Amino acid sequence: MWTPTKNQKFGVAIYNFEAEHVQQALRLDVGETVQILEECCGWYRGFSTKNRNLKGIFPAQFIHLKPFKIDNEGIYETVTPVEDPVVQEAASVLREWGQIWKDLYVVLGTPHGDQELWDAVRKTMMDIADWRKMLITGTLTSDQIGQIKLKITRKIDWGNRRLGLDLVPRVDGEMVDPDAVSVVELYRVHVLSAETSQGHIQGLGTLAKKKDRRKAQSHHLFFCMRDFSYHLGEDAEVFFSLYDACKGKFISERFLVKLSKEGFFNYVEKIHSNCTIFTDLGSADLASELYIVAHVVRVGRMLFSESVKKSSSHCYRRPHGVALFRLAPSVLQGADGEVRNEVELTGKLFSSDEKDFWQLPELVLKKQSNKYSIMSNNASYGLVVSVKVVHGELEQATKENPPYY
């Protein structure tokens, strides 16, 4: 007797099954997915997801059962596999690229042939297939799984762009469901995905030319405040943060350095308190118009013109000035694209009305000189900082780059 299946609803054919000698049999090819409706004595009855209208029977031992979820349970139920979305995407991409790769091979001997592109697509498909196998085995750690998924999605985005296909909108590497977000949000995600993909191409080079100089997927900025030549006569706080001029926004948390009223002294035992690491920068961030912005806030008198001798039980925090340091590609990398050693940068303080203090970096970049002025001091320099970019996992990067301050 045929009985409806409850715990066995979905599977994949692991052998070819020819239906010639069995009545009401369903022909299956290796890798074909099936939805199982009934079972009886070692046989299943169901249909292939390629053609839901054609139902038939097939041997149970030819099917590898897989986890699934059911939508609209009942007559019109839909059974879908519970698989990692990156694994599913890799499989569909390999099927789509496989046909394109064959078409590229057909025209290799013609003026329209592109041997370089054909080789690059072939290598990329082999990499994606190998990484997909590693994910399916289930023997990787969570960190390794994250790294493999990131490699797969970046290869897919590179290939789609190189082949002129649609770019997949992503958030944190995961595909966005267009039915679950608004049109405006989907457009924003698509623009961000396009910028990220372009940054990967610029930062990592092209696979066809084998210029993948930077295999690390994340970058970190080692930062240190070296000197401060302005004498304020009272305590001060300096907040450092990273600013993306292309997006017009800050992309990091703020790092605080406290200065005493006696001035900045570069003592060896205190220098490490002036250093930090801005972590997890992407290639798109390094390829953008990136700046270090320093906001200087004085702590003490209400008005700067008040007498220093005038004592008060209250300390006020008032805006004082802003300095900007451009992190140009030539600062972060050498001419050959390799990492440079520590680079020292010098900048002057800009001042403005207090109401424009937090918009001052934007005003300086737009050169609206009527809204700010350059602060003068006795020294030829102003605020001095040093930076160095390192690549790879943060723990490994810190081991390979011990404190050199």
Side-chain angles (χ1 to χ4, degrees), residues 12-59:
V12 178
I14 56 177
Y15 302 104
N16 292 329
F17 176 60
E18 301 295 339
E20 298 176 356
H21 307 295
V22 181
Q23 293 183 351
Q24 298 182 348
L26 181 67
R27 183 183 181 277
L28 296 176
D29 295 325
V30 172
E32 197 167 345
T33 55
V34 293
Q35 184 171 334
I36 304 169
L37 303 176
E38 297 174 308
E39 61 179 332
C40 178
C41 300
W43 288 79
Y44 290 141
R45 180 178 178 274
F47 56 85
S48 170
T49 55
K50 294 194 301 184
N51 185 357
R52 296 177 177 270
N53 296 321
L54 182 61
K55 297 179 175 62
I57 63 174
F58 40 88

Side-chain angles (χ1 to χ4, degrees), residues 136-154:
I136 293 176
T137 58
T139 59
L140 303 177
T141 64
S142 57
D143 290 340
Q144 290 173 331
I145 290 174
Q147 293 175 3
I148 294 297
K149 287 182 178 180
L150 188 59
K151 289 181 180 179
I152 290 176
T153 54
R154 288 188 173 180

Side-chain angles (χ1 to χ4, degrees), residues 32 52 69 106 114 122 126 196-197 248 259 261 275 297 348 367 383:
E32 197 167 345
R52 296 177 177 270
K69 65 177 182 178
V106 171
D114 190 338
R122 174 179 175 275
M126 293 179 64
T196 303
S197 176
L259 304 178
K261 60 184 178 181
C275 304
V297 177
K348 296 286 188 178
K367 298 182 179 180
L383 181 58

Side-chain angles (χ1 to χ4, degrees), residues 322-337:
V322 171
L324 286 84
F325 307 89
R326 182 168 182 247
L327 299 178
S330 59
V331 172
L332 302 178
Q333 302 176 12
D336 56 354

Side-chain angles (χ1 to χ4, degrees), residues 92-104:
S92 62
V93 164
L94 289 174
R95 283 191 288 267
E96 182 181 12
W97 288 8
Q99 184 58 49
I100 298 175
W101 181 64
K102 293 176 183 178
D103 296 338
L104 291 173

